[in-house]
Amino acid sequence: MRSLTVFAFAAAALLAACGRNESAPAANGQPAAAAGQKNVVTGMVIADKPSALAAGASMTVRLLDVTRTDGDTIVVAEQTYPIPAIPAEFTLPYDPAKVSSIRTFALEATVMDQGVARYVSQGRVGVLTQGKPKNATILLAEAMVAPAPKDPVAEFNKAFTEFEAQLGALKRVTGSRIEGEQAAYAWDGFADATGVRLVRETMNNAEGVTVSTSRYAFDEAGKPWLIERETGGTKSRLGWDATGTVLVRERNGAPADIAQDEIDRLVRSAESAKAAAAAKL
């Protein structure tokens, strides 16, 4: 069915081309080659369906010497044309001194749209020698576009959000402690089969006013994964990737330069909280 559709589309495009005046413009805006003109290859590029392109899109057509099957092809001629859409016509001049009847030649095309290859030839089309014509239709296929690289911070946040959604399935422990006469801590912790995964901690002063709230999360190996601490209207946030590298350094939701000595203090607090929770498992 696909081959019939493509054949029908190609036939319709070629029929339309035959109905136009011979001076109709080619893809590069220049008059198409007149019948019988030498040293040019003409033709049309088509796809499975017509496609409009962004402003500035271009098509590059290459005439290749493909005689050697065990080596690199040789570019005999190449030209780039601005095109607004597919299908599009082309006229490609070539140097006859580079074309020998005993060699094999073929065409290929690439369409660039918004800086990336959007279409490429499905295969090379033989022309000029070995009984091949000087006019050809090149069938294009959508190019494989590499996926955009993932944002590591966004992936980190996504993974932690998914982890939080499963807290209800983890074992929960609670505790409290008093340090001196000025600080009282209350906390709860969550653990799975690998150990403590999250501790939430609140510190109040002697008047019962909340001074800070903290969250300490750990990966399956027990290493720091996320630390959040909010105090004095400022929320600091740290996150580590799987290699133990600090990936996230934020204050109040914006990237910030958090000094290493502060990071070390927060890690020590996290390890202390984890130990207290582990003692209650």
Side-chain angles (χ1 to χ4, degrees), residues 226-265:
L226 174 137
I227 294 177
E228 289 180 345
R229 175 167 292 176
E230 186 168 1
T231 182
T234 299
K235 184 177 182 179
S236 302
R237 190 167 188 261
L238 297 168
W240 286 260
D241 65 15
T243 68
T245 301
V246 179
L247 179 67
V248 178
R249 299 175 191 240
E250 295 176 350
R251 291 204 197 278
N252 297 330
D257 184 14
I258 300 178
Q260 187 61 46
D261 59 346
E262 182 178 351
I263 294 174
D264 293 341
R265 287 197 302 270

PDB file of all heavy atoms in Angstrom, residues 226-265:
ATOM      1  N   LEU A 226      19.101  14.157  48.893  1.00  0.00           N
ATOM      2  CA  LEU A 226      18.530  15.496  48.917  1.00  0.00           C
ATOM      3  C   LEU A 226      18.554  16.028  50.341  1.00  0.00           C
ATOM      4  O   LEU A 226      18.288  15.296  51.297  1.00  0.00           O
ATOM      5  CB  LEU A 226      17.102  15.492  48.392  1.00  0.00           C
ATOM      6  CG  LEU A 226      16.349  16.837  48.496  1.00  0.00           C
ATOM      7  CD1 LEU A 226      15.562  17.123  47.238  1.00  0.00           C
ATOM      8  CD2 LEU A 226      15.412  16.845  49.715  1.00  0.00           C
ATOM      9  N   ILE A 227      18.908  17.295  50.487  1.00  0.00           N
ATOM     10  CA  ILE A 227      18.810  17.994  51.768  1.00  0.00           C
ATOM     11  C   ILE A 227      18.102  19.313  51.529  1.00  0.00           C
ATOM     12  O   ILE A 227      18.479  20.076  50.626  1.00  0.00           O
ATOM     13  CB  ILE A 227      20.200  18.261  52.390  1.00  0.00           C
ATOM     14  CG1 ILE A 227      20.876  16.939  52.782  1.00  0.00           C
ATOM     15  CG2 ILE A 227      20.078  19.171  53.609  1.00  0.00           C
ATOM     16  CD1 ILE A 227      22.274  17.116  53.342  1.00  0.00           C
ATOM     17  N   GLU A 228      17.069  19.555  52.324  1.00  0.00           N
ATOM     18  CA  GLU A 228      16.378  20.840  52.290  1.00  0.00           C
ATOM     19  C   GLU A 228      16.321  21.388  53.710  1.00  0.00           C
ATOM     20  O   GLU A 228      16.003  20.660  54.654  1.00  0.00           O
ATOM     21  CB  GLU A 228      14.952  20.680  51.758  1.00  0.00           C
ATOM     22  CG  GLU A 228      14.860  20.375  50.284  1.00  0.00           C
ATOM     23  CD  GLU A 228      13.432  20.215  49.813  1.00  0.00           C
ATOM     24  OE1 GLU A 228      12.528  20.059  50.669  1.00  0.00           O
ATOM     25  OE2 GLU A 228      13.214  20.237  48.584  1.00  0.00           O
ATOM     26  N   ARG A 229      16.619  22.664  53.844  1.00  0.00           N
ATOM     27  CA  ARG A 229      16.489  23.309  55.153  1.00  0.00           C
ATOM     28  C   ARG A 229      15.919  24.711  54.944  1.00  0.00           C
ATOM     29  O   ARG A 229      16.425  25.488  54.132  1.00  0.00           O
ATOM     30  CB  ARG A 229      17.812  23.393  55.889  1.00  0.00           C
ATOM     31  CG  ARG A 229      17.707  24.184  57.215  1.00  0.00           C
ATOM     32  CD  ARG A 229      18.919  24.008  58.083  1.00  0.00           C
ATOM     33  NE  ARG A 229      19.022  22.631  58.587  1.00  0.00           N
ATOM     34  CZ  ARG A 229      20.044  22.192  59.322  1.00  0.00           C
ATOM     35  NH1 ARG A 229      21.044  23.006  59.622  1.00  0.00           N
ATOM     36  NH2 ARG A 229      20.067  20.949  59.745  1.00  0.00           N
ATOM     37  N   GLU A 230      14.857  24.998  55.714  1.00  0.00           N
ATOM     38  CA  GLU A 230      14.248  26.314  55.664  1.00  0.00           C
ATOM     39  C   GLU A 230      14.387  26.970  57.026  1.00  0.00           C
ATOM     40  O   GLU A 230      13.957  26.426  58.049  1.00  0.00           O
ATOM     41  CB  GLU A 230      12.776  26.215  55.278  1.00  0.00           C
ATOM     42  CG  GLU A 230      12.111  27.564  55.071  1.00  0.00           C
ATOM     43  CD  GLU A 230      10.744  27.466  54.420  1.00  0.00           C
ATOM     44  OE1 GLU A 230      10.297  26.333  54.149  1.00  0.00           O
ATOM     45  OE2 GLU A 230      10.142  28.537  54.184  1.00  0.00           O
ATOM     46  N   THR A 231      15.004  28.140  57.047  1.00  0.00           N
ATOM     47  CA  THR A 231      15.192  28.879  58.292  1.00  0.00           C
ATOM     48  C   THR A 231      15.302  30.362  57.981  1.00  0.00           C
ATOM     49  O   THR A 231      15.907  30.752  56.961  1.00  0.00           O
ATOM     50  CB  THR A 231      16.461  28.398  59.040  1.00  0.00           C
ATOM     51  OG1 THR A 231      16.579  29.102  60.269  1.00  0.00           O
ATOM     52  CG2 THR A 231      17.713  28.605  58.217  1.00  0.00           C
ATOM     53  N   GLY A 232      14.687  31.187  58.828  1.00  0.00           N
ATOM     54  CA  GLY A 232      14.777  32.637  58.639  1.00  0.00           C
ATOM     55  C   GLY A 232      14.253  33.111  57.305  1.00  0.00           C
ATOM     56  O   GLY A 232      14.736  34.109  56.760  1.00  0.00           O
ATOM     57  N   GLY A 233      13.256  32.417  56.742  1.00  0.00           N
ATOM     58  CA  GLY A 233      12.688  32.815  55.458  1.00  0.00           C
ATOM     59  C   GLY A 233      13.501  32.394  54.254  1.00  0.00           C
ATOM     60  O   GLY A 233      13.152  32.738  53.123  1.00  0.00           O
ATOM     61  N   THR A 234      14.585  31.653  54.470  1.00  0.00           N
ATOM     62  CA  THR A 234      15.424  31.176  53.361  1.00  0.00           C
ATOM     63  C   THR A 234      15.384  29.656  53.303  1.00  0.00           C
ATOM     64  O   THR A 234      15.585  28.977  54.309  1.00  0.00           O
ATOM     65  CB  THR A 234      16.881  31.632  53.540  1.00  0.00           C
ATOM     66  OG1 THR A 234      16.925  33.056  53.556  1.00  0.00           O
ATOM     67  CG2 THR A 234      17.750  31.110  52.401  1.00  0.00           C
ATOM     68  N   LYS A 235      15.128  29.140  52.116  1.00  0.00           N
ATOM     69  CA  LYS A 235      15.095  27.689  51.913  1.00  0.00           C
ATOM     70  C   LYS A 235      16.291  27.274  51.064  1.00  0.00           C
ATOM     71  O   LYS A 235      16.415  27.698  49.904  1.00  0.00           O
ATOM     72  CB  LYS A 235      13.798  27.264  51.230  1.00  0.00           C
ATOM     73  CG  LYS A 235      13.651  25.756  51.069  1.00  0.00           C
ATOM     74  CD  LYS A 235      12.305  25.407  50.459  1.00  0.00           C
ATOM     75  CE  LYS A 235      12.136  23.901  50.348  1.00  0.00           C
ATOM     76  NZ  LYS A 235      10.804  23.540  49.780  1.00  0.00           N
ATOM     77  N   SER A 236      17.166  26.483  51.666  1.00  0.00           N
ATOM     78  CA  SER A 236      18.344  25.971  50.946  1.00  0.00           C
ATOM     79  C   SER A 236      18.059  24.541  50.505  1.00  0.00           C
ATOM     80  O   SER A 236      17.433  23.773  51.237  1.00  0.00           O
ATOM     81  CB  SER A 236      19.577  26.013  51.845  1.00  0.00           C
ATOM     82  OG  SER A 236      19.826  27.332  52.290  1.00  0.00           O
ATOM     83  N   ARG A 237      18.552  24.212  49.328  1.00  0.00           N
ATOM     84  CA  ARG A 237      18.275  22.878  48.768  1.00  0.00           C
ATOM     85  C   ARG A 237      19.521  22.347  48.083  1.00  0.00           C
ATOM     86  O   ARG A 237      20.140  23.033  47.270  1.00  0.00           O
ATOM     87  CB  ARG A 237      17.126  22.959  47.771  1.00  0.00           C
ATOM     88  CG  ARG A 237      16.571  21.629  47.293  1.00  0.00           C
ATOM     89  CD  ARG A 237      15.253  21.886  46.565  1.00  0.00           C
ATOM     90  NE  ARG A 237      14.568  20.661  46.231  1.00  0.00           N
ATOM     91  CZ  ARG A 237      14.602  20.072  45.025  1.00  0.00           C
ATOM     92  NH1 ARG A 237      15.313  20.638  44.041  1.00  0.00           N
ATOM     93  NH2 ARG A 237      13.959  18.957  44.789  1.00  0.00           N
ATOM     94  N   LEU A 238      19.879  21.115  48.406  1.00  0.00           N
ATOM     95  CA  LEU A 238      21.012  20.428  47.799  1.00  0.00           C
ATOM     96  C   LEU A 238      20.543  19.082  47.253  1.00  0.00           C
ATOM     97  O   LEU A 238      19.681  18.429  47.847  1.00  0.00           O
ATOM     98  CB  LEU A 238      22.120  20.193  48.826  1.00  0.00           C
ATOM     99  CG  LEU A 238      22.777  21.425  49.446  1.00  0.00           C
ATOM    100  CD1 LEU A 238      23.627  21.017  50.643  1.00  0.00           C
ATOM    101  CD2 LEU A 238      23.631  22.146  48.403  1.00  0.00           C
ATOM    102  N   GLY A 239      21.124  18.675  46.152  1.00  0.00           N
ATOM    103  CA  GLY A 239      20.813  17.357  45.585  1.00  0.00           C
ATOM    104  C   GLY A 239      22.049  16.734  44.989  1.00  0.00           C
ATOM    105  O   GLY A 239      22.912  17.425  44.447  1.00  0.00           O
ATOM    106  N   TRP A 240      22.148  15.401  45.102  1.00  0.00           N
ATOM    107  CA  TRP A 240      23.303  14.665  44.594  1.00  0.00           C
ATOM    108  C   TRP A 240      22.867  13.689  43.515  1.00  0.00           C
ATOM    109  O   TRP A 240      21.775  13.109  43.574  1.00  0.00           O
ATOM    110  CB  TRP A 240      23.963  13.875  45.727  1.00  0.00           C
ATOM    111  CG  TRP A 240      24.746  14.683  46.710  1.00  0.00           C
ATOM    112  CD1 TRP A 240      26.099  14.846  46.751  1.00  0.00           C
ATOM    113  CD2 TRP A 240      24.225  15.442  47.818  1.00  0.00           C
ATOM    114  NE1 TRP A 240      26.464  15.656  47.808  1.00  0.00           N
ATOM    115  CE2 TRP A 240      25.337  16.043  48.490  1.00  0.00           C
ATOM    116  CE3 TRP A 240      22.950  15.681  48.328  1.00  0.00           C
ATOM    117  CZ2 TRP A 240      25.192  16.840  49.617  1.00  0.00           C
ATOM    118  CZ3 TRP A 240      22.800  16.486  49.443  1.00  0.00           C
ATOM    119  CH2 TRP A 240      23.909  17.056  50.077  1.00  0.00           C
ATOM    120  N   ASP A 241      23.737  13.481  42.523  1.00  0.00           N
ATOM    121  CA  ASP A 241      23.445  12.460  41.519  1.00  0.00           C
ATOM    122  C   ASP A 241      23.984  11.112  41.980  1.00  0.00           C
ATOM    123  O   ASP A 241      24.502  10.981  43.101  1.00  0.00           O
ATOM    124  CB  ASP A 241      24.011  12.852  40.150  1.00  0.00           C
ATOM    125  CG  ASP A 241      25.538  12.928  40.124  1.00  0.00           C
ATOM    126  OD1 ASP A 241      26.195  12.416  41.055  1.00  0.00           O
ATOM    127  OD2 ASP A 241      26.091  13.497  39.154  1.00  0.00           O
ATOM    128  N   ALA A 242      23.861  10.103  41.114  1.00  0.00           N
ATOM    129  CA  ALA A 242      24.225   8.741  41.503  1.00  0.00           C
ATOM    130  C   ALA A 242      25.716   8.582  41.759  1.00  0.00           C
ATOM    131  O   ALA A 242      26.135   7.638  42.440  1.00  0.00           O
ATOM    132  CB  ALA A 242      23.778   7.759  40.418  1.00  0.00           C
ATOM    133  N   THR A 243      26.536   9.501  41.251  1.00  0.00           N
ATOM    134  CA  THR A 243      27.986   9.407  41.452  1.00  0.00           C
ATOM    135  C   THR A 243      28.440  10.127  42.713  1.00  0.00           C
ATOM    136  O   THR A 243      29.624  10.125  43.038  1.00  0.00           O
ATOM    137  CB  THR A 243      28.738   9.995  40.249  1.00  0.00           C
ATOM    138  OG1 THR A 243      28.521  11.416  40.199  1.00  0.00           O
ATOM    139  CG2 THR A 243      28.264   9.356  38.939  1.00  0.00           C
ATOM    140  N   GLY A 244      27.482  10.777  43.420  1.00  0.00           N
ATOM    141  CA  GLY A 244      27.843  11.516  44.615  1.00  0.00           C
ATOM    142  C   GLY A 244      28.242  12.954  44.354  1.00  0.00           C
ATOM    143  O   GLY A 244      28.746  13.633  45.242  1.00  0.00           O
ATOM    144  N   THR A 245      28.014  13.429  43.139  1.00  0.00           N
ATOM    145  CA  THR A 245      28.333  14.810  42.790  1.00  0.00           C
ATOM    146  C   THR A 245      27.142  15.710  43.107  1.00  0.00           C
ATOM    147  O   THR A 245      25.993  15.352  42.836  1.00  0.00           O
ATOM    148  CB  THR A 245      28.653  14.920  41.288  1.00  0.00           C
ATOM    149  OG1 THR A 245      29.769  14.072  40.990  1.00  0.00           O
ATOM    150  CG2 THR A 245      28.990  16.355  40.903  1.00  0.00           C
ATOM    151  N   VAL A 246      27.415  16.876  43.688  1.00  0.00           N
ATOM    152  CA  VAL A 246      26.344  17.819  43.998  1.00  0.00           C
ATOM    153  C   VAL A 246      25.774  18.348  42.684  1.00  0.00           C
ATOM    154  O   VAL A 246      26.466  19.000  41.906  1.00  0.00           O
ATOM    155  CB  VAL A 246      26.842  18.975  44.879  1.00  0.00           C
ATOM    156  CG1 VAL A 246      25.695  19.953  45.148  1.00  0.00           C
ATOM    157  CG2 VAL A 246      27.400  18.455  46.194  1.00  0.00           C
ATOM    158  N   LEU A 247      24.516  18.057  42.454  1.00  0.00           N
ATOM    159  CA  LEU A 247      23.851  18.430  41.213  1.00  0.00           C
ATOM    160  C   LEU A 247      22.993  19.681  41.395  1.00  0.00           C
ATOM    161  O   LEU A 247      22.873  20.503  40.487  1.00  0.00           O
ATOM    162  CB  LEU A 247      22.976  17.260  40.737  1.00  0.00           C
ATOM    163  CG  LEU A 247      22.176  17.436  39.465  1.00  0.00           C
ATOM    164  CD1 LEU A 247      23.119  17.550  38.270  1.00  0.00           C
ATOM    165  CD2 LEU A 247      21.220  16.259  39.277  1.00  0.00           C
ATOM    166  N   VAL A 248      22.385  19.812  42.566  1.00  0.00           N
ATOM    167  CA  VAL A 248      21.458  20.907  42.834  1.00  0.00           C
ATOM    168  C   VAL A 248      22.013  21.756  43.976  1.00  0.00           C
ATOM    169  O   VAL A 248      22.333  21.231  45.049  1.00  0.00           O
ATOM    170  CB  VAL A 248      20.061  20.381  43.212  1.00  0.00           C
ATOM    171  CG1 VAL A 248      19.125  21.540  43.528  1.00  0.00           C
ATOM    172  CG2 VAL A 248      19.506  19.499  42.110  1.00  0.00           C
ATOM    173  N   ARG A 249      22.127  23.056  43.734  1.00  0.00           N
ATOM    174  CA  ARG A 249      22.486  24.045  44.769  1.00  0.00           C
ATOM    175  C   ARG A 249      21.526  25.213  44.592  1.00  0.00           C
ATOM    176  O   ARG A 249      21.671  25.988  43.654  1.00  0.00           O
ATOM    177  CB  ARG A 249      23.929  24.531  44.617  1.00  0.00           C
ATOM    178  CG  ARG A 249      25.001  23.466  44.740  1.00  0.00           C
ATOM    179  CD  ARG A 249      26.365  24.070  44.444  1.00  0.00           C
ATOM    180  NE  ARG A 249      27.410  23.070  44.298  1.00  0.00           N
ATOM    181  CZ  ARG A 249      28.490  22.991  45.050  1.00  0.00           C
ATOM    182  NH1 ARG A 249      28.677  23.872  46.018  1.00  0.00           N
ATOM    183  NH2 ARG A 249      29.404  22.062  44.843  1.00  0.00           N
ATOM    184  N   GLU A 250      20.557  25.320  45.481  1.00  0.00           N
ATOM    185  CA  GLU A 250      19.524  26.333  45.315  1.00  0.00           C
ATOM    186  C   GLU A 250      19.227  27.046  46.635  1.00  0.00           C
ATOM    187  O   GLU A 250      19.347  26.464  47.719  1.00  0.00           O
ATOM    188  CB  GLU A 250      18.222  25.703  44.807  1.00  0.00           C
ATOM    189  CG  GLU A 250      18.299  25.095  43.427  1.00  0.00           C
ATOM    190  CD  GLU A 250      17.001  24.417  43.027  1.00  0.00           C
ATOM    191  OE1 GLU A 250      16.103  24.246  43.885  1.00  0.00           O
ATOM    192  OE2 GLU A 250      16.887  24.023  41.841  1.00  0.00           O
ATOM    193  N   ARG A 251      18.838  28.305  46.487  1.00  0.00           N
ATOM    194  CA  ARG A 251      18.243  29.044  47.596  1.00  0.00           C
ATOM    195  C   ARG A 251      16.945  29.665  47.084  1.00  0.00           C
ATOM    196  O   ARG A 251      16.943  30.341  46.060  1.00  0.00           O
ATOM    197  CB  ARG A 251      19.168  30.133  48.115  1.00  0.00           C
ATOM    198  CG  ARG A 251      20.407  29.612  48.834  1.00  0.00           C
ATOM    199  CD  ARG A 251      20.964  30.650  49.807  1.00  0.00           C
ATOM    200  NE  ARG A 251      22.326  30.365  50.194  1.00  0.00           N
ATOM    201  CZ  ARG A 251      22.686  29.504  51.144  1.00  0.00           C
ATOM    202  NH1 ARG A 251      21.760  28.802  51.791  1.00  0.00           N
ATOM    203  NH2 ARG A 251      23.967  29.324  51.441  1.00  0.00           N
ATOM    204  N   ASN A 252      15.874  29.382  47.824  1.00  0.00           N
ATOM    205  CA  ASN A 252      14.554  29.901  47.445  1.00  0.00           C
ATOM    206  C   ASN A 252      14.221  29.601  45.985  1.00  0.00           C
ATOM    207  O   ASN A 252      13.671  30.434  45.263  1.00  0.00           O
ATOM    208  CB  ASN A 252      14.463  31.402  47.720  1.00  0.00           C
ATOM    209  CG  ASN A 252      14.597  31.724  49.199  1.00  0.00           C
ATOM    210  OD1 ASN A 252      14.222  30.913  50.058  1.00  0.00           O
ATOM    211  ND2 ASN A 252      15.139  32.894  49.515  1.00  0.00           N
ATOM    212  N   GLY A 253      14.590  28.396  45.547  1.00  0.00           N
ATOM    213  CA  GLY A 253      14.216  27.937  44.220  1.00  0.00           C
ATOM    214  C   GLY A 253      15.093  28.389  43.085  1.00  0.00           C
ATOM    215  O   GLY A 253      14.848  28.029  41.930  1.00  0.00           O
ATOM    216  N   ALA A 254      16.143  29.166  43.376  1.00  0.00           N
ATOM    217  CA  ALA A 254      17.033  29.652  42.321  1.00  0.00           C
ATOM    218  C   ALA A 254      18.440  29.100  42.538  1.00  0.00           C
ATOM    219  O   ALA A 254      18.869  28.895  43.680  1.00  0.00           O
ATOM    220  CB  ALA A 254      17.070  31.172  42.319  1.00  0.00           C
ATOM    221  N   PRO A 255      19.183  28.838  41.458  1.00  0.00           N
ATOM    222  CA  PRO A 255      20.558  28.365  41.613  1.00  0.00           C
ATOM    223  C   PRO A 255      21.365  29.320  42.485  1.00  0.00           C
ATOM    224  O   PRO A 255      21.232  30.546  42.384  1.00  0.00           O
ATOM    225  CB  PRO A 255      21.086  28.348  40.172  1.00  0.00           C
ATOM    226  CG  PRO A 255      19.866  28.195  39.318  1.00  0.00           C
ATOM    227  CD  PRO A 255      18.786  28.939  40.029  1.00  0.00           C
ATOM    228  N   ALA A 256      22.187  28.774  43.366  1.00  0.00           N
ATOM    229  CA  ALA A 256      22.967  29.604  44.288  1.00  0.00           C
ATOM    230  C   ALA A 256      24.321  28.961  44.538  1.00  0.00           C
ATOM    231  O   ALA A 256      24.488  27.736  44.394  1.00  0.00           O
ATOM    232  CB  ALA A 256      22.216  29.773  45.608  1.00  0.00           C
ATOM    233  N   ASP A 257      25.276  29.781  44.909  1.00  0.00           N
ATOM    234  CA  ASP A 257      26.616  29.304  45.235  1.00  0.00           C
ATOM    235  C   ASP A 257      26.668  28.979  46.727  1.00  0.00           C
ATOM    236  O   ASP A 257      26.919  29.856  47.556  1.00  0.00           O
ATOM    237  CB  ASP A 257      27.649  30.369  44.872  1.00  0.00           C
ATOM    238  CG  ASP A 257      29.073  29.887  45.089  1.00  0.00           C
ATOM    239  OD1 ASP A 257      29.260  28.663  45.249  1.00  0.00           O
ATOM    240  OD2 ASP A 257      29.987  30.727  45.106  1.00  0.00           O
ATOM    241  N   ILE A 258      26.388  27.738  47.071  1.00  0.00           N
ATOM    242  CA  ILE A 258      26.404  27.307  48.469  1.00  0.00           C
ATOM    243  C   ILE A 258      27.795  26.770  48.781  1.00  0.00           C
ATOM    244  O   ILE A 258      28.279  25.845  48.125  1.00  0.00           O
ATOM    245  CB  ILE A 258      25.333  26.238  48.728  1.00  0.00           C
ATOM    246  CG1 ILE A 258      23.943  26.817  48.401  1.00  0.00           C
ATOM    247  CG2 ILE A 258      25.382  25.755  50.174  1.00  0.00           C
ATOM    248  CD1 ILE A 258      22.812  25.837  48.571  1.00  0.00           C
ATOM    249  N   ALA A 259      28.420  27.368  49.762  1.00  0.00           N
ATOM    250  CA  ALA A 259      29.812  27.037  50.080  1.00  0.00           C
ATOM    251  C   ALA A 259      29.942  25.604  50.578  1.00  0.00           C
ATOM    252  O   ALA A 259      29.012  25.027  51.164  1.00  0.00           O
ATOM    253  CB  ALA A 259      30.348  28.007  51.123  1.00  0.00           C
ATOM    254  N   GLN A 260      31.125  25.038  50.361  1.00  0.00           N
ATOM    255  CA  GLN A 260      31.361  23.646  50.732  1.00  0.00           C
ATOM    256  C   GLN A 260      31.256  23.436  52.245  1.00  0.00           C
ATOM    257  O   GLN A 260      30.769  22.390  52.679  1.00  0.00           O
ATOM    258  CB  GLN A 260      32.737  23.199  50.232  1.00  0.00           C
ATOM    259  CG  GLN A 260      33.003  21.703  50.415  1.00  0.00           C
ATOM    260  CD  GLN A 260      32.008  20.842  49.661  1.00  0.00           C
ATOM    261  OE1 GLN A 260      31.710  21.089  48.496  1.00  0.00           O
ATOM    262  NE2 GLN A 260      31.494  19.816  50.336  1.00  0.00           N
ATOM    263  N   ASP A 261      31.685  24.407  53.041  1.00  0.00           N
ATOM    264  CA  ASP A 261      31.602  24.209  54.492  1.00  0.00           C
ATOM    265  C   ASP A 261      30.146  24.136  54.952  1.00  0.00           C
ATOM    266  O   ASP A 261      29.812  23.376  55.863  1.00  0.00           O
ATOM    267  CB  ASP A 261      32.366  25.304  55.244  1.00  0.00           C
ATOM    268  CG  ASP A 261      31.851  26.700  54.949  1.00  0.00           C
ATOM    269  OD1 ASP A 261      31.079  26.858  53.976  1.00  0.00           O
ATOM    270  OD2 ASP A 261      32.203  27.637  55.695  1.00  0.00           O
ATOM    271  N   GLU A 262      29.248  24.898  54.302  1.00  0.00           N
ATOM    272  CA  GLU A 262      27.826  24.788  54.626  1.00  0.00           C
ATOM    273  C   GLU A 262      27.269  23.439  54.187  1.00  0.00           C
ATOM    274  O   GLU A 262      26.473  22.823  54.907  1.00  0.00           O
ATOM    275  CB  GLU A 262      27.042  25.921  53.963  1.00  0.00           C
ATOM    276  CG  GLU A 262      25.561  25.894  54.313  1.00  0.00           C
ATOM    277  CD  GLU A 262      24.783  27.045  53.698  1.00  0.00           C
ATOM    278  OE1 GLU A 262      25.422  27.961  53.132  1.00  0.00           O
ATOM    279  OE2 GLU A 262      23.539  27.025  53.779  1.00  0.00           O
ATOM    280  N   ILE A 263      27.698  22.978  53.022  1.00  0.00           N
ATOM    281  CA  ILE A 263      27.266  21.664  52.554  1.00  0.00           C
ATOM    282  C   ILE A 263      27.700  20.588  53.539  1.00  0.00           C
ATOM    283  O   ILE A 263      26.927  19.692  53.906  1.00  0.00           O
ATOM    284  CB  ILE A 263      27.836  21.374  51.147  1.00  0.00           C
ATOM    285  CG1 ILE A 263      27.233  22.338  50.126  1.00  0.00           C
ATOM    286  CG2 ILE A 263      27.567  19.928  50.740  1.00  0.00           C
ATOM    287  CD1 ILE A 263      27.835  22.219  48.746  1.00  0.00           C
ATOM    288  N   ASP A 264      28.941  20.679  53.999  1.00  0.00           N
ATOM    289  CA  ASP A 264      29.458  19.680  54.948  1.00  0.00           C
ATOM    290  C   ASP A 264      28.645  19.685  56.248  1.00  0.00           C
ATOM    291  O   ASP A 264      28.349  18.621  56.809  1.00  0.00           O
ATOM    292  CB  ASP A 264      30.932  19.954  55.243  1.00  0.00           C
ATOM    293  CG  ASP A 264      31.822  19.723  54.032  1.00  0.00           C
ATOM    294  OD1 ASP A 264      31.381  19.023  53.101  1.00  0.00           O
ATOM    295  OD2 ASP A 264      32.957  20.242  54.022  1.00  0.00           O
ATOM    296  N   ARG A 265      28.278  20.870  56.748  1.00  0.00           N
ATOM    297  CA  ARG A 265      27.475  20.945  57.969  1.00  0.00           C
ATOM    298  C   ARG A 265      26.110  20.303  57.775  1.00  0.00           C
ATOM    299  O   ARG A 265      25.623  19.573  58.650  1.00  0.00           O
ATOM    300  CB  ARG A 265      27.312  22.411  58.407  1.00  0.00           C
ATOM    301  CG  ARG A 265      28.557  23.037  59.006  1.00  0.00           C
ATOM    302  CD  ARG A 265      28.231  24.315  59.775  1.00  0.00           C
ATOM    303  NE  ARG A 265      27.569  25.296  58.924  1.00  0.00           N
ATOM    304  CZ  ARG A 265      28.212  26.213  58.204  1.00  0.00           C
ATOM    305  NH1 ARG A 265      29.544  26.245  58.203  1.00  0.00           N
ATOM    306  NH2 ARG A 265      27.545  27.090  57.483  1.00  0.00           N
TER     307      ARG A 265
END
